[in-house]
Amino acid sequence: MAEDDEKRAAAEHAALLPGDGMTVGLGTGTTVAFLLPALARRRLDIVCVATSPATEQAALALGLEVRPFESMARLDLAIDGADQVDTDCWLIKGGGGAHTREKIVAAAADRFVVIVSEGKLVEELAPPVPLELLGFGLEATLATLGEVRLRPGPPSPDGGLIADYLGPIASPAELAAELSATPGVVDHGLFPAELVSEVLVGRPNGSVTRILP
Ligand code: 5RP
């Protein structure tokens, strides 16, 4: 499938970035699923942290060293996918519901590299914006947020409920501030361009383009 080839191209390019001795944050999703074996094949001396149990299990199965992200203050590098990347390099993430951990890992990294297929590039971000919500006071939080749909399925590994904000995105920065200021919202899937070091885009011809914010 063409989109998978683009994801693989971006992921395999990113797999060349880590070097021996580095700490590396691993994202979540189908693009990252191409990253993990490419990284494992390099047999580097690296320590990884995973943004989801699925990534942790896959990385461990491939022989990568994964440690809990409780005792490391910074990471050298984090690599993750995205659902949408706009022309300013603002992102929407959280298609897999892992955006809270993904944002913590991205923010802790000296370099945050986003790997996407070409179709993820958009002129303007559009809903849905993934949310993680506390169960406590859920109905009150939903009423405050307005246009929100709870996702079926299990809670996040941290016990949060995954939902999607469906309202308009007039300004990503304003909406991000609004969502962050809403009591009961653990975090949202809007990632500011300031978090992003570069975006690697896999193209249909197999090449990879680097976009800087
Ligand atoms: C998971 C994410 C993913 O990075 C995002 O959904 C992209 O997924 P994929 O690589 O499968 O297209 O944010 O929470």
Side-chain angles (χ1 to χ4, degrees):
M1 199 162 56
E3 192 191 1
D4 275 355
D5 292 340
E6 295 169 26
K7 289 180 176 186
R8 184 194 301 276
E12 291 186 346
H13 198 93
L16 300 175
L17 300 176
D20 276 326
M22 288 176 67
T23 49
V24 182
L26 304 173
T28 293
T30 55
T31 314
V32 168
F34 289 118
L35 170 74
L36 301 179
L39 197 52
R41 278 196 296 274
R42 295 191 60 211
R43 299 190 167 277
L44 293 170
D45 180 17
I46 56 174
V47 171
C48 302
V49 298
T51 53
S52 64
T55 293
E56 178 171 0
Q57 281 155 23
L60 287 171
L62 287 160
L64 290 163
E65 181 177 345
V66 182
R67 291 204 195 144
F69 194 36
E70 268 119 44
S71 54
M72 282 182 261
R74 295 291 301 168
L75 298 167
D76 293 306
L77 173 68
I79 305 170
D80 202 349
D83 301 304
Q84 298 176 45
V85 180
D86 79 4
T87 50
D88 294 325
C89 288
W90 270 75
L91 314 177
I92 290 182
K93 288 187 46 54
H99 47 283
T100 299
R101 289 188 176 199
E102 290 171 337
K103 197 180 284 181
I104 293 169
V105 165
D110 292 340
R111 184 177 176 191
F112 176 43
V113 177
V114 180
I115 49 176
V116 290
S117 50
E118 192 178 72
K120 303 288 184 74
L121 302 180
V122 297
E123 282 295 311
E124 289 183 1
L125 299 181
V129 177
L131 303 173
E132 181 165 350
L133 307 175
L134 270 189
F136 182 85
L138 181 64
E139 283 305 320
T141 305
L142 293 174
T144 306
L145 288 167
E147 295 171 78
V148 178
R149 183 176 52 210
L150 272 180
R151 278 192 213 171
S156 82
D158 304 298
L161 300 164
I162 305 302
D164 289 293
Y165 173 81
L166 304 170
I169 308 178
S171 148
E174 281 172 24
L175 179 59
E178 221 174 278
L179 293 172
S180 294
T182 303
V185 174
V186 178
D187 213 336
H188 54 79
L190 286 164
F191 282 45
E194 300 88 76
L195 272 186
V196 176
S197 305
E198 65 206 91
V199 180
L200 298 177
V201 187
R203 302 292 184 178
N205 66 2
S207 68
V208 175
T209 310
R210 186 163 170 253
I211 300 177
L212 300 176

